[in-house]
Amino acid sequence: AREYSLWTLMTVLSCWAFLRAMRQPTPKHWFIYGFTLVVGWYSHLLFAAVAIAQTLAAVIVPDWMSTNRVANVPSAAGQITPSAQASSGQPNHGLLSRCRGPFVGTMLISLFCFSPWICVFLNQWGQVQNVVDATQRDPSLLYLVNVWGRNLSRVWFSADLGIANILGVFGVGYSLVYLWHTVPRRISLFLLLLIGVNALSLMLPDMVTGGISSTRIRYLFPAYLGIQLAIAHHLSHRLLQATGGSRRMWAGVITVVFVRGAIAAV
């Protein structure tokens, strides 16, 4: 039994609970969020990257980032729904500021609940160092970049496509840019933080110390979850906007992605 499935599940649940608590800051929602944090901490130490992303989104993001500005999304009947229309960009009257105190308190309580394992972690530092040393192989930067590109393209296809991997990387990059321009800033920034904190916390040390931790896809599950959400939003938004033959084309693209993903999972 390995911990990665539980870690993935708790990443999804904690992000959902975080966004819900920030939007509806009631004691019940903060309790649910705190519970997901505690289970997340105990599922995998790399859950720290998820917690850091949430902290940056809650504490550092200014109030003006929480405006509900979204792109116009046509309904199934082709009408622009009132809820999907772009707002005038008014802030949410300090809701984010009022949530920062409860958020910090919830995060500190979750760390307190995790403190017994922190003590074990510190007492077994020698074993931790042995695990870290096993990933030190002093690879070249070119090797790291090649593996990163190959792994990133596997969001689409579970295979090494050689030079064609660049197409998968381009597709991911375009989906992230599309996400930034079509959803509220607080949501797009949160997903980018989820991806960036997890990825950079592994990539930067590997570039400095010569490790290969960032080449292990299983250590980057939070980043891949954010990427998959960005791709899902891109495809579904395109399908909603399309009409006639264009709509059939995007439906075909989504079908291919689903079928390919199902085959890769077998």
Side-chain angles (χ1 to χ4, degrees):
R2 307 188 77 176
E3 69 274 25
Y4 298 104
S5 296
L6 178 61
W7 177 35
T8 303
L9 174 64
M10 297 318 301
T11 297
V12 174
L13 290 180
S14 69
C15 290
W16 165 78
F18 165 75
L19 293 174
R20 188 178 184 186
M22 295 295 288
R23 186 169 57 248
Q24 302 176 19
T26 64
K28 180 182 74 171
H29 292 157
W30 286 116
F31 175 81
I32 294 173
Y33 173 56
F35 176 79
T36 62
L37 282 178
V38 173
V39 180
W41 285 118
Y42 276 97
S43 65
H44 202 293
L45 287 174
L46 287 180
F47 185 80
V50 179
I52 292 173
Q54 293 170 351
T55 301
L56 291 174
V59 177
I60 296 179
V61 175
D63 280 339
W64 63 266
M65 276 289 193
S66 61
T67 57
N68 295 320
R69 188 184 61 80
V70 296
N72 292 339
V73 181
S75 65
Q79 301 290 331
I80 301 295
T81 59
S83 61
Q85 292 178 344
S87 71
S88 60
Q90 294 299 320
N92 62 350
H93 305 290
L95 177 62
L96 186 59
S97 298
R98 296 197 300 272
C99 290
R100 285 170 181 156
F103 170 82
V104 172
T106 303
M107 184 63 69
L108 291 177
I109 291 173
S110 73
L111 286 171
F112 175 78
C113 294
F114 186 59
S115 59
W117 187 247
I118 295 177
C119 295
V120 173
F121 179 80
L122 295 176
N123 289 333
Q124 300 295 327
W125 182 253
Q127 178 62 23
V128 173
Q129 200 62 40
N130 291 335
V131 174
V132 173
D133 291 341
T135 63
Q136 304 299 306
R137 299 183 185 177
D138 196 21
S140 66
L141 181 59
L142 181 61
Y143 170 82
L144 289 175
V145 172
N146 180 61
V147 176
W148 294 339
R150 181 187 66 197
N151 289 346
L152 196 58
S153 69
R154 289 188 175 182
V155 175
W156 306 91
F157 300 101
S158 182
D160 187 354
L161 305 178
I163 191 64
N165 286 330
I166 191 64
L167 297 177
V169 175
F170 174 79
V172 170
Y174 186 78
S175 293
L176 293 176
V177 173
Y178 192 85
L179 176 81
W180 178 259
H181 288 288
T182 55
V183 301
R185 284 286 185 262
R186 60 187 175 84
I187 302 299
S188 59
L189 184 64
F190 174 62
L191 281 179
L192 292 177
L193 285 171
L194 181 66
I195 296 168
V197 172
N198 179 226
L200 293 177
S201 66
L202 296 173
M203 294 167 66
L204 292 179
D206 282 357
M207 289 190 291
V208 174
T209 64
I212 58 171
S213 297
S214 60
T215 64
R216 310 287 179 84
I217 292 180
R218 61 183 180 273
Y219 296 158
L220 293 163
F221 279 175
Y224 278 96
L225 282 172
I227 290 170
Q228 288 176 337
L229 285 172
I231 293 172
H233 165 73
H234 183 193
L235 295 178
S236 61
H237 194 236
R238 288 289 192 182
L239 182 62
L240 285 173
Q241 285 187 322
T243 58
S246 179
R247 187 179 183 88
R248 288 190 293 271
M249 181 197 73
W250 282 107
V253 170
I254 294 175
T255 301
V256 170
V257 172
F258 281 158
V259 171
R260 184 61 188 173
I263 294 174
V266 173

